[in-house]
Amino acid sequence: MKKKLLSVLALTMILWMNAQKKDSVKLEKIEEVVLTGQYTQQSINKSIYKVEVIDAQQIKNMAATNVADVLNQSLNILITSDRNSGNSTASLLGLGGEYTKILIDNIPVVGDVGLGNNIDLTKLNINNVERIEVVRGSMGVDYGSNAVAGVINIITKKSTQKKLTLNASVQEETVGKEYNWYKKGEGRHIQTLNAGYNLNENWYIGANINHNDFQGFKGTQEGYKYFEQDGKRGYLWQPKDVLNIDGVIRYSKNKTSVFYKFGFVSEKLNFYSPIVSELYLGEGNRTYTSADRDYLTTRYVNQLNVQTKLGSINYTGDFSYQTQDRKYRDFTYDIPNRKVMGTKEAYQSYNKADVIYSRGVFSNFLDDKKIDFQLGYELDHTKGYAGFIAGDFAGNNVDRKIFNYANFISAEWNPTDWLSLRPGYRLALSDKFDTQHNYSLTVRGKIDDSSNIRLVAGSANRFPNFDELYTYFVDSNHDIRGNEDLKPEEGITISLNGDKKFTTNSGWNVQVGASATYMDLKNRIEVLQINQSPLQYKYININKFRSLLFEANFKVQKNQFSLAANASYYGIGKELFSGTLVSPDDFFYTFEGKLAANYTLPKTGTNVSLFYRHVGKLQMFVLDSQDIAHPFYYVGERGNFNMMDFVVSQPFFKNHFELSAGIKNIFDVSSVRDTTVAGTAHGTTDPNSNLFYGRSYFTRLTYNF
């Protein structure tokens, strides 16, 4: 641990000393603007909410390959990856991906179990992103159901300053120690192409393609060619190939802007079974086979954004039609002969959703700087189904047809130049669940032109998903059931934060801030043991889930050097039930720290970036029911870990080309000891949690027209 911290400090000092030597050029700083939670796009300093902004330059410096890579560098956001499905979701404030709303240009993304929640971040294109905005806390009034822990809004590029822009890149990356250029090889292979053209001062068109080919991670396994019968065939992380294609057109004139985007996503994932069977062919001949499976996910997005003036009233309208279809096909693979036995059948759909979505917001009714009203509506109609392989639903498909409608209202009042207040209310109606009410109150105090203090209180609800409602996994060894009588969860958060910006006499731009957030979640849904003999589990609503977060941040910037440091200390307390046995509801606390340093040499343009993150140990109560007659709760623990990336970029040929190289996960983290998952009467669990696939190396070549 000490060696790792010394490594971080040493690299940071090198960057700092180089920055001190090169002090001659002063950069013009353009203030960041934000959209999430605002009436109209405005500067981050005037935002009614505390918004974390990750801009395109930061994303480029990270050499990120998808949105999951970017968010992995943010405090209190834990990216949880499923090695089998290939999905990676974001957890905020100790809550899973189903509690965080994922938006692209203010429109929620269609997913496997809902609209905007539990979204696989590895499917989201990163090469056309202008910035990512993160707001922590319940945002139910503005963004509806499932925005319990917060909102992540991905803002895409919609214009260019040049008549024509064209850039392309190729990135090659190892996966741990594994790398091979050829097809069916190893490593990660990424190609991107972006084009934008201003037809005239009013019209813009653009297109981008991103191909991310992940050849899987074998780790302790031996790959798909292996045919020994010892369970080592296949991969720890399954191979997946993701293709993103987007086309955009934008019209802007006077006070009207219309933006349309067509998007297509294709993900192919291969599952190579570790179970190998011997097949006798006759006459002393034999071969070895496995039952493998291909998955194919396709997503189509049609999105329209309109911003205009209706007299003096501002109108913003978001419309989208999205479809997602997940399919699979099974086949028998002859491993020694490297061929499919028979033919691969056609893909069968097992999880499908068609979503119509619309959100409209009207504001500036009074055309008054001191007071403004916002009226809005939101509706979504989801139709689809989940097949039996998507979950254990008693062998049946589960049809879904859900219509949600909501109206929301808020008023922003500026009684003085230094005080802003915004109360808000949402009424949400659903043909599946009872009427929901969400409330919010935000208060922003302007201490001076560069200092703010904010008090934010809000609520949001989360509707139960498929597994929680319909799971039916019952056999001689298991009894796990969903619950169609589940109530929606209700989350309330209260946060207080302050920030200040100033410039020192020596020219350093400094930003400091601190915040405290408290969350109380009612009707939390958990799968809990309801009977000891026979052993039975069921999804039920529990009473208590609370989290408490303290965070501090610091950033300095001068000329070509910037350094940002963040630290947080958060606790989680929840009460669990198992029959008559009740767990304590003590808080367990975790420390996280983050450091990001960046320096550009003025003469050569060489850019050096360092990213470091420390995640402390995590504790929680866990039920041990291996002894059915005497179950008990114990304190499980996931160990701490440290992540660090180092990236160097060098432009050349008048900045038309750029070569980047670096190391990700320098400390070679792969798994940590984890006893937060309990064993049962039918077996024990792996005491290690596989978080990453170890240290990797990459190079990237970029061309800019």
Side-chain angles (χ1 to χ4, degrees):
M1 177 67 182
K2 290 182 179 178
K3 290 182 179 179
K4 294 176 180 178
L5 290 175
L6 287 173
S7 300
V8 175
L9 292 174
L11 284 168
T12 305
M13 288 302 297
I14 292 172
L15 293 173
W16 182 281
M17 288 185 291
N18 283 335
Q20 294 285 65
K21 293 177 183 177
K22 307 294 182 180
D23 197 11
S24 57
V25 180
K26 194 159 187 174
L27 300 178
E28 182 179 355
K29 178 69 175 177
I30 301 175
E31 190 170 15
E32 293 175 313
V33 296
V34 293
L35 176 66
T36 308
Q38 313 303 314
Y39 283 5
T40 59
Q41 182 169 279
Q42 61 179 304
S43 72
I44 192 171
N45 187 51
K46 296 179 181 179
S47 168
I48 198 74
Y49 292 101
K50 179 190 176 186
V51 184
E52 176 190 351
V53 178
I54 308 168
D55 61 31
Q57 186 61 48
Q58 291 173 279
I59 294 171
K60 177 185 173 184
N61 292 342
M62 293 177 187
T65 61
N66 52 56
V67 173
D69 288 350
V70 176
L71 295 177
N72 233 344
Q73 298 292 341
S74 293
L75 279 191
N76 313 121
I77 298 181
L78 180 64
I79 302 301
T80 305
S81 301
D82 186 322
R83 295 177 297 161
N84 292 318
S85 70
N87 289 352
S88 294
T89 58
S91 299
L92 270 74
L93 300 177
L95 296 171
E98 61 269 30
Y99 296 88
T100 301
K101 198 97 170 198
I102 306 295
L103 313 171
I104 296 181
D105 296 318
N106 253 19
I107 293 177
V109 182
V110 64
D112 298 343
V113 296
L115 184 62
N117 64 305
N118 230 25
I119 300 302
D120 176 21
L121 300 173
T122 64
K123 290 189 185 75
L124 303 185
N125 188 13
I126 199 67
N127 71 313
N128 68 330
V129 172
E130 179 180 290
R131 65 186 186 275
I132 298 176
E133 299 177 0
V134 182
V135 180
R136 293 167 176 82
S138 297
M139 298 279 289
V141 170
D142 290 292
Y143 295 104
S145 62
N146 304 319
V148 177
V151 171
I152 298 173
N153 198 359
I154 301 164
I155 311 298
T156 62
K157 297 174 183 177
K158 302 177 179 65
S159 63
T160 177
Q161 294 180 348
K162 299 179 181 179
K163 181 72 173 178
L164 172 67
T165 59
L166 179 67
N167 62 73
S169 69
V170 176
Q171 182 166 324
E172 292 295 309
E173 190 169 313
T174 70
V175 177
K177 298 179 181 179
E178 301 171 14
Y179 179 77
N180 190 311
W181 174 274
Y182 299 104
K183 185 179 180 181
K184 292 295 183 183
E186 300 169 338
R188 188 186 292 273
H189 316 284
I190 304 161
Q191 306 90 41
T192 68
L193 175 64
N194 288 277
Y197 183 65
N198 286 310
L199 298 172
N200 52 46
E201 63 180 7
N202 304 124
W203 289 92
Y204 167 81
I205 58 173
N208 68 83
I209 301 173
N210 184 82
H211 178 224
N212 194 326
D213 179 17
F214 175 67
Q215 289 289 326
F217 175 58
K218 289 186 286 188
T220 56
Q221 301 299 99
E222 298 292 341
Y224 77 101
K225 299 178 182 179
Y226 186 76
F227 54 88
E228 295 293 334
Q229 296 175 291
D230 55 7
K232 291 187 176 182
R233 180 179 182 263
Y235 298 79
L236 283 182
W237 297 66
Q238 306 304 324
K240 63 184 294 186
D241 191 315
V242 180
L243 175 66
N244 293 84
I245 301 175
D246 294 319
V248 303
I249 183 168
R250 181 174 184 260
Y251 171 78
S252 179
K253 186 176 182 180
N254 298 327
K255 297 180 180 180
T256 297
S257 173
V258 181
F259 171 76
Y260 170 76
K261 179 174 73 174
F262 169 79
F264 170 74
V265 180
S266 172
E267 179 198 68
K268 297 178 181 179
L269 186 140
N270 309 113
F271 174 75
Y272 297 101
S273 175
I275 301 174
V276 176
S277 301
E278 184 178 352
L279 178 64
Y280 182 65
L281 301 175
E283 300 181 357
N285 297 317
R286 69 193 66 234
T287 190
Y288 294 89
T289 66
S290 63
D292 293 346
R293 174 176 286 178
D294 290 338
Y295 291 93
L296 173 64
T297 301
T298 56
R299 179 190 297 158
Y300 293 89
V301 179
N302 290 275
Q303 173 183 330
L304 178 68
N305 302 89
V306 179
Q307 295 183 26
T308 190
K309 281 273 193 180
L310 303 175
S312 63
I313 298 174
N314 295 328
Y315 170 71
T316 300
D318 300 316
F319 309 88
S320 77
Y321 173 64
Q322 304 178 59
T323 66
Q324 178 172 285
D325 195 0
R326 303 199 72 173
K327 303 176 182 180
Y328 77 99
R329 63 183 179 189
D330 293 325
F331 59 94
T332 301
Y333 190 68
D334 183 342
I335 306 171
N337 294 305
R338 309 283 191 271
K339 66 179 183 179
V340 176
M341 299 189 70
T343 59
K344 288 187 177 182
E345 298 180 358
Y347 279 104
Q348 301 179 57
S349 179
Y350 71 91
N351 195 317
K352 188 174 182 179
D354 295 275
V355 179
I356 298 173
Y357 174 85
S358 177
R359 182 177 188 265
V361 178
F362 302 84
S363 62
N364 198 42
F365 288 91
L366 302 179
D367 197 18
D368 190 321
K369 293 182 179 180
K370 284 189 174 294
I371 189 166
D372 193 7
F373 292 96
Q374 175 178 270
L375 293 175
Y377 74 87
E378 184 177 48
L379 64 86
D380 66 84
H381 180 273
T382 301
K383 182 180 180 181
Y385 67 91
F388 65 92
I389 77 158
D392 297 295
F393 308 129
N396 299 313
N397 291 345
V398 176
D399 292 319
R400 56 177 167 178
K401 187 176 181 181
I402 301 173
F403 177 74
N404 298 316
Y405 179 80
N407 285 111
F408 53 94
I409 181 172
S410 65
E412 189 164 315
W413 180 37
N414 301 291
T416 67
D417 292 338
W418 56 270
L419 181 64
S420 299
L421 298 96
R422 187 199 289 182
Y425 168 73
R426 171 183 285 245
L427 174 67
L429 306 174
S430 171
D431 61 357
K432 180 68 177 176
F433 300 101
D434 293 338
T435 300
Q436 301 294 308
H437 305 271
N438 294 137
Y439 308 89
S440 67
L441 174 63
T442 59
V443 181
R444 170 179 167 263
K446 176 184 172 183
I447 300 173
D448 55 43
D449 288 339
S450 58
S451 304
N452 294 280
I453 185 168
R454 297 176 177 90
L455 174 65
V456 181
S459 67
N461 57 273
R462 184 186 79 86
F463 294 132
N465 61 35
F466 275 133
D467 290 343
E468 294 161 346
L469 290 170
Y470 303 116
T471 288
Y472 189 85
F473 184 28
V474 179
D475 58 22
S476 59
N477 294 320
H478 307 88
D479 192 331
I480 306 173
R481 307 188 187 202
N483 183 357
E484 294 190 51
D485 295 324
L486 288 171
K487 300 176 183 178
E489 298 179 356
E490 300 175 6
I492 298 175
T493 58
I494 301 173
S495 65
L496 178 66
N497 64 81
D499 59 76
K500 182 175 180 58
K501 300 178 182 179
F502 60 92
T503 302
T504 66
N505 293 332
S506 57
W508 288 95
N509 297 312
V510 182
Q511 301 178 32
V512 294
S515 65
T517 303
Y518 173 77
M519 168 176 281
D520 186 2
L521 184 62
K522 297 180 180 179
N523 297 323
R524 161 83 168 180
I525 298 171
E526 296 266 10
V527 58
L528 298 177
Q529 181 180 318
I530 60 172
N531 194 27
Q532 294 181 10
S533 184
L535 188 61
Q536 293 179 322
Y537 294 86
K538 188 176 183 178
Y539 286 95
I540 64 173
N541 293 104
I542 64 174
N543 290 327
K544 292 184 179 180
F545 181 95
R546 299 165 296 159
S547 65
L548 189 60
L549 168 68
F550 301 96
E551 186 174 0
N553 56 79
F554 170 77
K555 183 178 181 180
V556 293
Q557 180 270 329
K558 183 178 181 181
N559 303 324
Q560 289 82 16
F561 176 77
S562 67
L563 173 69
N566 301 70
S568 72
Y569 189 63
Y570 68 92
I572 296 173
K574 61 181 178 179
E575 188 175 79
L576 301 176
F577 298 87
S578 176
T580 59
L581 187 64
V582 181
S583 75
D585 61 352
D586 300 359
F587 271 88
F588 290 108
Y589 289 91
T590 301
F591 173 79
E592 288 193 23
K594 185 186 80 169
L595 180 72
N598 185 77
Y599 178 64
T600 302
L601 279 72
K603 290 185 178 180
T604 63
T606 306
N607 182 270
V608 182
S609 298
L610 170 73
F611 303 95
Y612 169 76
R613 184 180 179 188
H614 168 77
V615 179
K617 69 178 181 180
L618 173 71
Q619 294 180 310
M620 65 177 65
F621 284 109
V622 181
L623 177 67
D624 189 316
S625 59
Q626 295 187 59
D627 183 351
I628 296 177
H630 302 93
F632 63 94
Y633 286 99
Y634 68 92
V635 178
E637 182 175 301
R638 187 198 67 200
N640 60 45
F641 59 92
N642 298 273
M643 302 288 293
M644 187 163 72
D645 300 345
F646 186 67
V647 181
V648 179
S649 300
Q650 177 62 59
F652 53 97
F653 286 129
K654 297 181 179 180
N655 293 325
H656 287 303
F657 287 91
E658 183 176 81
L659 181 64
S660 303
I663 309 173
K664 298 182 179 180
N665 195 353
I666 290 175
F667 299 134
D668 200 22
V669 179
S670 56
S671 64
V672 296
R673 181 166 178 77
D674 191 350
T675 58
T676 61
V677 180
T680 69
H682 305 294
T684 59
T685 58
D686 187 347
N688 294 308
S689 178
N690 295 289
L691 300 175
F692 310 100
Y693 45 75
R695 184 185 301 117
S696 62
Y697 303 85
F698 80 91
T699 58
R700 178 182 64 197
L701 179 63
T702 303
Y703 168 75
N704 296 291
F705 176 75

